[in-house]
Amino acid sequence: MTAPPPRPHPHLSSSSYFSAVNVGDDDAWDSASDSESPAQSTLTFSWSRPVASTAPKAVPKSPESPSSSTLSFSYTHLNAPNPSSYPPRDDSSQPPKNGWTIVRTSRPRRSSNDTHSSNQDDASDHVPEPEADADVEGDMILGDLESEPTKDPASSMTVPKLKQDQGTIREDAEEIVNDPLVGLRRRSTRADASPSASRKNLNETPEKSEKLMRERSIRTNRKHKFVDCLSSQDVNIAELRKLAWAGIPGEMRPMAWQLLLGYLPLPTPLRASTLARKRSEYISLVEVAFARDREGLDQQIWHQIEIDVPRTRPGVRLWMHGATQRSLERILYVWAIRHPASGYVQGINDLVTPFFQVFLSAYIDSDPEAFDPSLLPTNVLNAIEADSFWCLSRLLDGIQDNYIFAQPGIQRSVRRMSELVARIDAPLFAHLEAQNVEFMQFAFRWMNCLLMREISVQNTIRMWDTYLAEGPDAFSQFHLYVCSAFLVKWSDRLRQMDFQGIIMFLQSLPTQGWGDHEIEMLLSEAFVLNSIWQNAQSHFNGK
């Protein structure tokens, strides 16, 4: 994908939120500062950045680097992501789009009856979503964006004029900004009230009818448990973790993730003020970071970010839109300057994408991967961006040593993975050793990008449900066992290959068609390994 043309930064308006605080280094929730004076400043950027035409320069390194870290440095700091390293997205189930995107197609429009939205699927129920039941939980409105927007007489926001096949913003989006429970309750109520969509198919055969009814009952029961848990005045985090391990329904995921990460406070009465405070704090951070436009930026950090951002999730429409890329640039730059020990490291851009996509899904009624965020009201887009920033910060707090100089966290994880595989699959380990294959040659990327280059964002989102349920150490500790199980899965094939075949295979794995079932099997195998080995530290040569 080519880099986009020069463009100005859209503004972030802090007047959208009713409180702001002094910028600090502590990201943790603090109820003592929930009532602050409103901020009235507005940040607007008018400068354009040129398209990068040369490769980034090498980042100077200390000569005292570990012997096995050369590969990780060259990948992390020098080479931009190769689009071919991502699993291609299967668009066979997506309708042709004629809406306002970077590329306008001329294919015939598919009727709305044949269209399904991937963010309405319940990815958590261990049973496949039957095609006949696909509309049971759906309440989406589909359409194409016309060139002329219309003005909503009831509000000051501009509402895009929509036709079929583009996807729409929820009518209650403004309310969801301040109260996530609003959208969760309404969406669940509408889903429970629309069983008629699949009656025709349910009557085809008694066996099929019984199966679909049973599957729907399982999904409905799990959703009710989530709604009851999330609607509590003081959420029981232990109960939420237990429910989330097996997957979180799509409409519950934005709120559940924020609670599991500790970004959203468990007591319901504190949420609106906490969200407003943290979002205003993020806007203040952006204002400070970009106060002097481009001239005031750390040029080395910014240069790498502006190269990586257009190459994030290539081929996925969401990440081709200018509004998404500007948000990602701000998130990455602000995080980098707040963490000078690591700065920006390639791979962190991938870690933002699940958060942005999940939080976007709370405000729209269609597939987030096909949506243009520029259609959103400014305060909604600002909320998504700020929430993504803080949740990314909390995730990286647990794996900070993966990104500091020499990346000791990744070095340690790859070494432990090698030792673990030697014990759980000795023939595979012996073959890799005989072919002179070093684990760092393939496992570095698995640790650095949390397998996001090997599986789709949807697969990653389902996997992160379990990671967040496991606790704060899951992205380092539990991920080690997931990567080990992931490698052993291909053991039979790998033992038939030579060095070149092994490396090529592991860089382009056949995971394009993976769905929830494959991810859940991988997580189950990792859980077994974790249960056996997590308390057997003496079996490893080093931590």
Side-chain angles (χ1 to χ4, degrees), residues 125-192:
D125 299 320
H126 296 287
V127 290
E129 182 76 6
E131 187 172 342
D133 203 30
D135 291 332
V136 170
E137 298 156 15
D139 58 322
M140 67 179 183
I141 305 171
L142 299 176
D144 273 310
L145 181 65
E146 290 183 342
S147 58
E148 294 295 328
T150 59
K151 200 78 172 180
D152 184 355
S155 69
S156 60
M157 63 175 278
T158 298
V159 180
K161 187 178 180 181
L162 299 169
K163 300 182 298 182
Q164 284 191 335
D165 276 39
Q166 173 60 38
T168 59
I169 304 166
R170 290 187 54 155
E171 294 179 357
D172 53 1
E174 300 275 3
E175 298 176 65
I176 297 172
V177 170
N178 297 319
D179 185 2
L181 276 175
V182 169
L184 187 152
R185 287 168 173 162
R186 289 178 182 173
R187 186 167 272 173
S188 298
T189 301
R190 285 193 299 234
D192 291 342

Side-chain angles (χ1 to χ4, degrees), residues 60-242:
K61 300 297 176 200
S62 169
E64 296 87 3
S65 59
S67 59
S68 60
S69 61
T70 304
L71 175 64
S72 63
F73 290 153
S74 64
Y75 172 82
T76 305
H77 297 283
L78 303 182
N79 299 329
N82 181 355
S84 65
S85 67
Y86 293 88
R89 184 174 181 228
D90 181 8
D91 288 329
S92 60
S93 62
Q94 297 297 328
K97 301 290 193 296
N98 289 322
W100 178 27
T101 60
I102 287 182
V103 179
R104 187 180 299 275
T105 62
S106 59
R107 288 176 292 176
R109 185 184 308 158
R110 184 182 300 178
S111 68
S112 59
N113 293 331
D114 297 332
T115 310
H116 299 287
S117 172
S118 64
N119 77 321
Q120 296 296 320
D121 293 340
D122 185 353
S124 62
D125 299 320
H126 296 287
V127 290
E129 182 76 6
E131 187 172 342
D133 203 30
D135 291 332
V136 170
E137 298 156 15
D139 58 322
M140 67 179 183
I141 305 171
L142 299 176
D144 273 310
L145 181 65
E146 290 183 342
S147 58
E148 294 295 328
T150 59
K151 200 78 172 180
D152 184 355
S155 69
S156 60
M157 63 175 278
T158 298
V159 180
K161 187 178 180 181
L162 299 169
K163 300 182 298 182
Q164 284 191 335
D165 276 39
Q166 173 60 38
T168 59
I169 304 166
R170 290 187 54 155
E171 294 179 357
D172 53 1
E174 300 275 3
E175 298 176 65
I176 297 172
V177 170
N178 297 319
D179 185 2
L181 276 175
V182 169
L184 187 152
R185 287 168 173 162
R186 289 178 182 173
R187 186 167 272 173
S188 298
T189 301
R190 285 193 299 234
D192 291 342
S194 58
S196 59
S198 59
R199 284 177 181 170
K200 180 179 179 180
N201 289 326
L202 289 175
N203 293 328
E204 288 182 356
T205 63
E207 294 79 7
K208 186 173 182 180
S209 175
E210 182 180 354
K211 178 182 177 182
L212 294 179
M213 291 297 292
R214 182 170 61 253
E215 291 171 349
R216 183 179 171 210
S217 177
I218 293 172
R219 287 193 302 274
T220 301
N221 289 339
R222 292 199 75 246
K223 287 187 177 183
H224 286 167
K225 290 180 180 179
F226 270 100
V227 171
D228 291 344
C229 179
L230 296 176
S231 300
S232 302
Q233 284 296 300
D234 193 352
V235 172
N236 184 331
I237 193 65
E239 180 184 356
L240 179 58
R241 291 187 189 281
K242 183 178 179 181

Side-chain angles (χ1 to χ4, degrees), residues 200-340:
K200 180 179 179 180
N201 289 326
L202 289 175
N203 293 328
E204 288 182 356
T205 63
E207 294 79 7
K208 186 173 182 180
S209 175
E210 182 180 354
K211 178 182 177 182
L212 294 179
M213 291 297 292
R214 182 170 61 253
E215 291 171 349
R216 183 179 171 210
S217 177
I218 293 172
R219 287 193 302 274
T220 301
N221 289 339
R222 292 199 75 246
K223 287 187 177 183
H224 286 167
K225 290 180 180 179
F226 270 100
V227 171
D228 291 344
C229 179
L230 296 176
S231 300
S232 302
Q233 284 296 300
D234 193 352
V235 172
N236 184 331
I237 193 65
E239 180 184 356
L240 179 58
R241 291 187 189 281
K242 183 178 179 181
L243 288 170
W245 207 101
I248 304 173
E251 60 268 36
M252 321 288 178
R253 188 173 280 127
M255 183 178 175
W257 275 24
Q258 293 179 9
L259 288 165
L260 291 168
L261 280 163
Y263 170 61
L264 198 64
L266 299 178
T268 300
L270 300 177
R271 289 175 190 160
S273 60
T274 301
L275 286 173
R277 176 175 62 85
K278 297 302 289 183
R279 290 163 179 170
S280 294
E281 183 178 349
Y282 171 72
I283 290 174
S284 298
L285 291 170
V286 173
E287 289 177 337
V288 171
F290 293 91
R292 292 192 296 147
D293 292 347
R294 180 172 186 138
E295 291 71 23
L297 302 179
D298 183 307
Q299 295 302 313
Q300 188 177 40
I301 293 175
W302 182 253
H303 179 62
Q304 189 64 53
I305 288 174
E306 69 176 357
I307 289 174
D308 287 354
V309 164
R311 301 178 182 180
T312 301
R313 304 310 306 178
V316 178
R317 291 189 178 206
L318 172 63
W319 298 100
M320 296 168 66
H321 292 299
T324 323
Q325 294 184 0
R326 302 295 76 75
S327 289
L328 184 55
E329 286 172 349
R330 288 190 290 265
I331 290 170
L332 295 175
Y333 185 78
V334 172
W335 188 90
I337 62 175
R338 281 171 57 86
H339 297 82

Side-chain angles (χ1 to χ4, degrees), residues 29-46:
W29 162 63
D30 179 6
S31 60
S33 60
D34 285 341
S35 57
E36 304 289 345
S37 59
Q40 301 296 332
S41 60
T42 300
L43 176 63
T44 305
F45 295 116
S46 60

Side-chain angles (χ1 to χ4, degrees), residues 126 485 489 515-527:
H126 296 287
K489 176 179 179 61
D516 291 341
H517 175 72
E518 288 79 8
I519 294 298
E520 288 165 3
M521 290 297 296
L522 179 65
L523 292 169
S524 298
E525 292 162 3
F527 178 79

